[in-house]
Amino acid sequence: MLQRVAEIAGPAGVRKATDCVAGDVGAQVSQALAPGGEVVVYGALSTHRQTDPAALTIPLLARSVIYETKAVRGFWLNRWFGTAAPADALRALSEVRSLVADEVLSIPQGEPFPLERFTEAISFAEAPAHGAKPLFVFEDFEDGRDADDR
């Protein structure tokens, strides 16, 4: 990753980054930062199903935090919604909605599952590289309508 970032951003690195993996990938993201850069960690996909405390870390180099003053900051959307002013939360949701409406952002389609196939949907969600996320639908799949009509 470091080589690819250097190819794109140059050897100085990047000033801002986001990370949803943590673990060794998160460490590489922090290493790719320019001095004074900041990474915001908002997920820990590398910790999925981990029970070993050592696997639940982001190994950082002390010299990069001290001498290069790089910063790592956590962000959890649920906490933000709980602490943000209602007007700020509404403004953020409105902006995201506008970005989706303007097709700047897209929401991936889910894989539809009727509620009766709950167990299969959970297995699908837990499978590696499953692509789409399960989406529960509350119509009968045998009603002759295709997914776009639901």
Side-chain angles (χ1 to χ4, degrees), residues 1 10 15 18 42 48 51 61 64 80 82 90 99-101 115 117-118 120 136 142 146:
M1 178 195 314
R15 300 265 316 134
T18 57
Y42 68 95
H48 184 65
T51 55
L61 298 173
S64 70
W80 182 82
L90 185 59
L99 291 170
V100 171
L115 199 52
R117 291 175 44 206
F118 176 83
E120 184 182 340
F136 289 115
E142 306 303 320
D146 64 27

Side-chain angles (χ1 to χ4, degrees), residues 5-6 21 30 35 42 46 48 53 71 85 104 111 116 140 144:
V5 170
V21 178
S30 73
Y42 68 95
S46 66
H48 184 65
V104 174
E111 180 70 29
E116 297 78 28
D140 182 6

